[in-house]
Amino acid sequence: MGRRKKKKFIDRWWVKFLMVAAAIFLIGGAGMKIWSSEAVQTRFVYMWPYQNEILEYSSKNKIDPFLVAAVIKNESGFDTEAVSHAGAVGLMQIMPETGEWIAAQMGLDHFDMEALRRPEYNVRLGCWYLGELEYEFQRNWVLMMIAYNAGRGNTRAWMQENGWNYDFNRIEDIPYPDTREYVKKVLRDRDKYYLYYKNKIKKY
């Protein structure tokens, strides 16, 4: 999407969002009921763009598609052009060096850093990496999300320093506040995506 078209899309989205928010404010308690409704939540809070790519590559890597959606929501807000201060790129905020390593592990002939901005390529690599983390941390989603946010090395160090095993689930014990909040939000959002979309998506 071109920058001008993208800006118009964002502006229209904000207009709609503000109109809904204003209506909810004006009608009080009934408005909160409307806000928490599935129709409003899936339109304004738990949107799911790029669903086909997510379903395809989560299935190929045997990982939960709702978790992938939650990761993308928290990493980039589904913005394909997102670039972090550290240099992470695209929907799943993949660092270029990590992307190059993933591509090599996947046996891809050529790593294209610019392609990380493309949804299909970014999700393909990101889902493979999530699958790798899920295997490494024995399907423990808390440890898996710590590793995705803070790195595998930090996760291993914290496990050793604090005596965490593969049953660890005490999010409040995560040492870094940013990582602690990240894990909490991703797992909460995963449950919301499951709630709203479990009966709406094709078999995964």
Side-chain angles (χ1 to χ4, degrees), residues 8-178:
K8 286 181 180 178
F9 170 80
I10 292 170
D11 288 345
R12 287 197 303 270
W13 184 90
W14 268 107
V15 168
K16 290 179 182 178
F17 177 82
L18 291 172
M19 287 174 65
V20 172
I24 288 168
F25 176 78
L26 289 172
I27 58 181
M32 288 308 298
K33 189 172 182 180
I34 294 170
W35 174 253
S36 61
S37 70
E38 181 176 321
V40 172
Q41 288 288 296
T42 54
R43 184 172 181 82
F44 293 104
V45 183
Y46 293 98
M47 303 83 73
W48 197 347
Y50 312 111
Q51 189 177 111
N52 288 337
E53 290 88 344
I54 292 168
L55 292 176
E56 178 182 354
Y57 289 109
S58 62
S59 177
K60 285 182 177 178
N61 291 281
K62 296 181 172 57
I63 55 175
D64 186 274
F66 309 105
L67 183 64
V68 178
V71 167
I72 295 175
K73 177 179 181 291
N74 284 274
E75 289 287 345
S76 67
F78 291 94
D79 180 2
T80 60
E81 297 295 319
V83 179
S84 74
H85 294 302
V89 177
L91 290 176
M92 300 189 73
Q93 290 292 277
I94 298 173
M95 292 292 289
E97 56 270 28
T98 303
E100 188 172 14
W101 177 81
I102 293 171
Q105 296 299 308
M106 292 177 68
L108 301 180
D109 293 334
H110 175 66
F111 170 68
D112 184 351
M113 191 178 119
E114 282 305 307
L116 284 177
R117 298 176 188 273
R118 296 205 309 265
E120 194 268 348
Y121 190 76
N122 192 284
V123 171
R124 182 182 182 189
L125 268 61
C127 283
W128 183 92
Y129 187 54
L130 282 177
E132 180 77 1
L133 292 178
E134 188 168 63
Y135 175 79
E136 178 177 350
F137 293 101
Q138 298 187 16
R139 302 187 65 81
N140 183 312
W141 283 359
V142 173
L143 294 174
M144 182 178 165
M145 289 300 99
I146 294 173
Y148 198 88
N149 178 259
R152 301 160 89 168
N154 282 330
T155 307
R156 287 286 177 192
W158 291 339
M159 290 178 73
Q160 186 170 5
E161 289 167 11
N162 298 288
W164 300 349
N165 60 26
Y166 291 107
D167 294 323
F168 173 74
N169 63 3
R170 290 179 56 84
I171 295 175
E172 63 272 21
D173 290 349
I174 298 171
Y176 285 2
D178 286 350

